[in-house]
Amino acid sequence: MSTHKTLLISGMFLLVVHGATQAQEKRIVADPPALVGDSEELMPGSPAEVSGENGGFGVVATAEEIASIDIDVTPGGAGLPAGSGTHAIGAEIYEAKCSVCHSPDLQGVAVLGGPRLIGGRGSLASDKPIKTVESYWPQASTLFDYVNRAMPLTLPGSLTADEVYSLTAFILGEADIVDTAMILDKDSFAEIVMPNAEGFYADPRPDTP
Amino acid sequence: MKPEFPSDLYSDSERKMAEALVETENHALKTTDSTEEDCDCKDGMFNGMSRRRMLAVSAALPAALMTNAQAQGQEAPPGSVAYDVLDDSTSRQGRVILGDGGYGTRSQFENSKRWRYPTASLDSSWSMTPIADGHGVITPSGLHFERHHAGIPTIDPDNHSLILHGLVDTPMKFTMADLYRMPSVTRTHFIECSGNGLTEWAAPTLKTVQGTHGLTSTSEWTGVALSSLLEICGVGDGAAWILAEGADAAVMTRSVPISKAMDDAMLVYAQNGEAIRPEQGYPLRLMLPGFEGNTHIKWLRRLEVSDKPFMTREETAKYTDLMPDGMARLFTLEMDAKSVITFPSGEMKLPRPGFYEISGLAWSGRGHVVKVEVSADGGRSWTEAALQEPVLDKCHTRFRLPWNWDGTELILQSRATDSTGYVQPTIAELVALRGTNSVYHLNAIQSWKISAAGEVTNVHA
C-alpha cells in the first residue's frame, strides 16, 4: 500500500535526519493521522459503505469478471480455449522463448533452475528417478495450464492460446507422446495419453506402525 | 571440506543443490560467529544486501546525515537500526518518541534471521525460520519461513478482490473491505512446508535445526471462515473440490477437498495482530490448518468449486511422494505429528557438564500434541517432557525437560504423540516404508549427538 511505503520511507528519512539535527536540539516526529474533531485523538478506520443482500458482503460476480481470470484447464479438457497449434510452430516458439532456460534439447539448464522437460521414462523406480513432463506428469492438461499461467518466467501469461497449443504439441512431440504431425486443439487434446497417467494413487497414510 | 553426496543416492542436480545448501549454511554460521568479510563468491546468494554492499551504501551517505553509530560503520541487523550506545544510559535522554515514524524496530543487538535455500532462481526459492532462536510458540512475522514460486507481488488491497465461482448457486466477488467487515475468526496454527527436512532422508546433511526443520512457523491468524463465504454463494450438488488461485506471477493453484473448506479453512488477512506480511500473502491468504504449506495459497484471488481435483502442476509434478516401486502418492495433505529439540541443537556447544533445560517444539496437522518424550540414550529409554500451556490444535507446542548432562557422549531425541494416537516414527521406519526418493513429508525423530566436549551435531541414529 502506498501509505505504508510513504510511512516507511519517511520513517527511514527521519531516522537519518534525527542524527543530523541532534546537535540543534530539534526533535522531529512522524506526521500524525487525521484527528478526531478538536481533540488530540487519532481517527480510526471506518468500514466501507455497503448495501445489498447477505449483509452486503460481496456482489454477484459477472460472467466477464469470472472469464477474465478463470484460466484453469482441467484433465477433462474444460477451460481449453479456442485455437490450435502444431509441433513445427511450437519448435520456433520454443527456440525463441523457452530454450534459454530449458536448453535447446529440452534437457534443462541446472544453473538457471530451468528443469528438464523430457526423458527419464522407466527411471521412477530406480535409485535416481528423473521426473519430467514425459516420465512423471500424469495429465497433459497440467502442461497446457502451467505453460499458459506461469511461462515464460520473464513474461508469464504473455503467450497466446495458439502459442500454448503449439508449445504443448512440441514438448509432447519431442517426448514421443503425440505424433509430430498432430494439430493440437480443444478436440484432439482428448486423445493424449500420458505415459505415467496410472502412476499415482491416493494418500494411504498413516503408514507407520 | 565438502561433505560427500554419493552418486548412488544423489543425481547430479541434487548433489549440486545439496552442496550449495551446505555451503549456504556454513556461510550463515560463519557470518554469525565471526566478523570475517564476505568473499565475492558469496555475494548474491542471499536476498537483500550483502555486508559489502551495506558498507558501500553507508559510505555513500554524507557524514552529516549519519548517526554516530552509522558513521562508525556499525551495522544494524535486518529489522533494526544502529543507534549510539552510551557508556551510561542513565546519563542522557534516550531517543524521542515516534522517532521511528510510529512503527518500532527490534533491538540492534538481535540478529536472528531467515536464510535462503540456494536455488538457482532468486524468484523461486525458500527461506528458513531460525527456530532455535524462538521463545514460546509464536514465530515473529518477520522470521516466518517463506516459499515463493515467482517472487513476492506487491498488491494494493483497495484493488484486490476474491471471486468465488464454479459449482455454486451464485458466483460472488468480495472486496477486502467486505472481508474485513465480516464476522472474524482468530486462531493460532502452524504452517509447515512438506519439503521441511528434504535434505535429511538419506543422511544427516544440514548442521543446524534451522536447516533441518526451519520450514515450519506458527502465527496467530485472523480472517473469515471459508465456510461462511461458501454459504453465501450456495455450494452446488456434487461439489467435492475447490481450486484456490493466487495473484502472484506463478498464479499458484492447488485443489482443496470441500470437506476441509467447510471444516476449519479460513481466509486470513492478519497475522500476529497486524495485517499479514506481503511475503505471507498480503492482503489475503488461504489458511488450511494442518495441511502442507503449499496449499495455503497466498495473494488469494479466486476460488472455483468443482466435482473433481484440478491436477495442477504443484499437486502432480511437485508435492507428490515417489515411492520405491515408482508409484507416487497424491494429495498427501495433512502434516503428520513431528517434534524436534531446539535446545540443545546442531552447532551449539554445551560449555560444561551440569544442568540444562532441554526445549523444543512439537506439532501435528491432525490434532493436538498429547505427549512429547525425550531420550538421552538414542531411543532406548524415554522421559515425558512438560508441555507449555495452552496446547492448541494444529499448532506448535513448546516442550521442556530439566536435564543433567554428565559429560558423556550421547544421543538426544524427542518423540511426539498426537491426539489421534499417532506416534512420531524413526527415520529408519520411514525409509523402510518410503525409500529415500519421496522428498516430501519427512516427520521422523531427529537425533542430536552430544560429544564429550559438548559439541552438538546432526546424526541419524
Side-chain angles (χ1 to χ4, degrees):
Chain A
M1 240 176 118
S2 57
T3 340
H4 288 178
K5 214 179 287 168
T6 314
L7 270 178
L8 181 65
I9 290 165
S10 62
M12 286 165 61
F13 179 69
L14 279 170
L15 293 166
V16 174
V17 170
H18 172 53
T21 55
Q22 209 167 23
Q24 301 149 36
E25 298 290 317
K26 192 176 172 189
R27 296 193 162 199
I28 299 171
V29 298
D31 287 338
L35 299 179
V36 178
D38 295 332
S39 81
E40 304 238 316
E41 267 189 288
L42 303 182
M43 189 95 79
S46 298
E49 222 169 285
V50 289
S51 61
E53 291 173 32
N54 296 315
F57 300 129
V59 295
V60 174
T62 66
E64 293 73 37
E65 283 173 329
I66 295 169
S68 70
I69 60 169
D70 181 10
I71 57 172
D72 60 82
V73 174
T74 70
L80 279 170
S84 66
T86 64
H87 184 279
I89 300 170
E92 288 172 26
I93 302 167
Y94 182 89
E95 161 85 39
K97 300 187 176 181
C98 316
S99 62
V100 171
C101 293
H102 293 284
S103 91
D105 58 1
L106 293 84
Q107 295 302 304
V109 180
V111 70
L112 294 174
R116 181 173 169 177
L117 299 175
I118 62 170
R121 275 201 225 194
S123 73
L124 297 180
S126 73
D127 289 341
K128 282 193 252 180
I130 299 163
K131 295 193 270 188
T132 68
V133 174
E134 176 183 346
S135 68
Y136 195 61
W137 294 33
Q139 306 286 343
S141 60
T142 311
L143 178 61
F144 188 101
D145 178 278
Y146 184 71
V147 171
N148 182 49
R149 73 174 59 237
M151 290 287 119
L153 193 75
T154 49
L155 217 49
S158 63
L159 299 169
T160 66
D162 286 348
E163 286 179 315
V164 181
Y165 275 119
S166 288
L167 283 171
T168 304
F170 173 69
I171 294 165
L172 297 181
E174 292 297 296
D176 284 331
I177 294 171
V178 301
D179 193 303
T180 55
M182 182 187 206
I183 295 170
L184 191 59
D185 61 15
K186 203 172 170 36
D187 296 324
S188 59
F189 211 93
E191 299 163 17
I192 305 170
V193 179
M194 298 297 278
N196 197 39
E198 303 302 322
F200 293 82
Y201 62 100
D203 173 20
R205 296 173 306 156
D207 55 352
T208 52
Chain B
M1 192 180 77
K2 271 190 178 167
E4 282 295 305
F5 295 99
S7 58
D8 57 332
L9 292 173
Y10 290 84
S11 69
D12 282 353
S13 60
E14 284 169 338
R15 184 168 56 247
K16 245 177 248 165
M17 182 81 92
E19 283 171 357
L21 185 47
V22 168
E23 202 176 325
T24 299
E25 193 190 41
N26 285 336
H27 174 76
L29 287 168
K30 201 170 78 185
T31 52
T32 309
D33 296 343
S34 77
T35 54
E36 275 185 63
E37 270 286 337
D38 288 358
C39 68
D40 285 325
C41 60
K42 302 284 171 34
D43 278 352
M45 286 191 73
F46 295 88
N47 286 334
M49 295 183 107
S50 68
R51 179 189 173 89
R52 184 179 297 275
R53 280 176 63 202
M54 278 184 68
L55 285 173
V57 169
S58 314
L61 281 172
L65 285 180
M66 294 160 64
T67 66
N68 288 338
Q70 286 170 329
Q72 287 156 18
Q74 290 169 21
E75 279 174 41
S80 72
V81 175
Y83 294 110
D84 300 337
V85 183
L86 300 179
D87 290 337
D88 177 2
S89 61
T90 68
S91 66
R92 257 179 278 163
Q93 298 297 308
R95 301 197 310 278
V96 291
I97 295 165
L98 291 187
D100 56 17
Y103 193 97
T105 56
R106 67 172 169 173
S107 164
Q108 68 206 65
F109 303 106
E110 296 300 318
N111 57 11
S112 187
K113 65 180 181 186
R114 303 179 283 218
W115 50 255
R116 188 181 79 81
Y117 194 97
T119 50
S121 162
L122 275 169
D123 303 305
S124 178
S125 190
W126 53 97
S127 73
M128 307 178 111
T129 296
I131 60 172
D133 300 341
H135 303 277
V137 299
I138 298 288
T139 308
S141 301
L143 294 176
H144 194 294
F145 85 86
E146 304 159 272
R147 171 67 171 117
H148 309 302
H149 294 77
I152 305 160
T154 302
I155 296 175
D156 182 343
D158 291 346
N159 297 326
H160 186 76
S161 58
L162 170 72
I163 287 182
L164 205 170
H165 71 113
L167 261 182
V168 293
D169 300 335
T170 313
M172 297 287 289
K173 182 173 90 167
F174 301 93
T175 62
M176 288 309 299
D178 288 327
L179 300 172
Y180 295 144
R181 213 165 51 80
M182 287 182 72
S184 64
V185 183
T186 294
R187 283 201 299 258
T188 307
H189 290 301
F190 77 85
I191 300 179
E192 182 182 18
C193 176
S194 52
N196 202 14
L198 67 85
T199 53
E200 307 300 310
W201 279 101
T205 303
L206 295 180
K207 293 175 179 169
T208 65
V209 71
Q210 182 172 11
T212 59
H213 290 74
L215 292 175
T216 186
S217 303
T218 282
S219 292
E220 182 196 80
W221 305 97
T222 299
V224 300
L226 175 51
S227 57
S228 304
L229 295 192
L230 287 168
E231 277 157 21
I232 288 175
C233 297
V235 176
D237 290 342
W241 292 82
I242 298 189
L243 182 76
E245 183 177 272
D248 58 332
V251 205
M252 176 59 54
T253 43
R254 283 295 301 257
S255 306
V256 181
I258 196 101
S259 54
K260 184 67 175 177
M262 294 304 286
D263 180 18
D264 57 358
M266 301 162 73
L267 307 182
V268 297
Y269 46 72
Q271 174 187 15
N272 297 331
E274 64 180 348
I276 192 169
R277 292 283 167 115
E279 65 269 28
Q280 297 305 327
Y282 186 89
L284 190 67
R285 175 179 208 168
L286 179 62
M287 171 83 215
L288 301 173
F291 273 27
E292 64 180 355
N294 181 249
T295 60
H296 301 228
I297 298 294
K298 298 183 281 189
W299 315 291
L300 187 69
R301 73 169 194 181
R302 187 168 73 93
L303 293 166
E304 181 178 356
V305 181
S306 169
D307 59 343
K308 294 188 187 70
F310 290 75
M311 306 298 273
T312 72
R313 177 200 188 238
E314 306 308 316
E315 61 205 21
T316 55
K318 307 289 175 184
Y319 300 101
T320 46
D321 304 347
L322 183 61
M323 295 294 118
D325 64 359
M327 298 285 284
R329 297 173 173 184
L330 265 180
F331 298 116
T332 37
L333 299 171
E334 292 93 350
M335 298 304 295
D336 278 324
K338 187 166 174 178
S339 70
V340 65
I341 293 171
T342 55
F343 179 86
S345 61
E347 289 298 292
M348 293 179 183
K349 188 170 187 295
L350 301 179
R352 65 190 71 81
F355 173 82
Y356 295 94
E357 183 184 67
I358 292 172
S359 177
L361 294 170
W363 61 96
S364 168
R366 298 184 193 267
H368 64 271
V369 173
V370 295
K371 185 166 70 174
V372 178
E373 298 158 292
V374 171
S375 172
D377 56 12
R380 279 188 294 281
S381 66
W382 296 88
T383 307
E384 199 165 334
L387 303 183
Q388 175 188 284
E389 295 289 340
V391 176
L392 300 172
D393 200 42
K394 301 163 188 170
C395 183
H396 282 173
T397 299
R398 172 74 57 181
F399 64 88
R400 298 189 172 96
L401 184 70
W403 176 56
N404 260 306
W405 179 45
D406 61 8
T408 58
E409 180 178 303
L410 52 85
I411 304 284
L412 273 185
Q413 297 171 319
S414 66
R415 179 172 75 180
T417 303
D418 74 11
S419 48
T420 69
Y422 176 91
V423 181
Q424 186 182 3
T426 64
I427 183 80
E429 284 170 332
L430 274 193
V431 168
L433 279 160
R434 303 183 193 167
T436 55
N437 288 326
S438 61
V439 181
Y440 307 98
H441 303 101
L442 175 62
N443 69 318
I445 290 169
Q446 169 69 37
S447 302
W448 301 118
K449 183 171 127 184
I450 316 284
S451 74
E455 289 148 343
V456 188
T457 48
N458 176 15
V459 295
H460 276 188

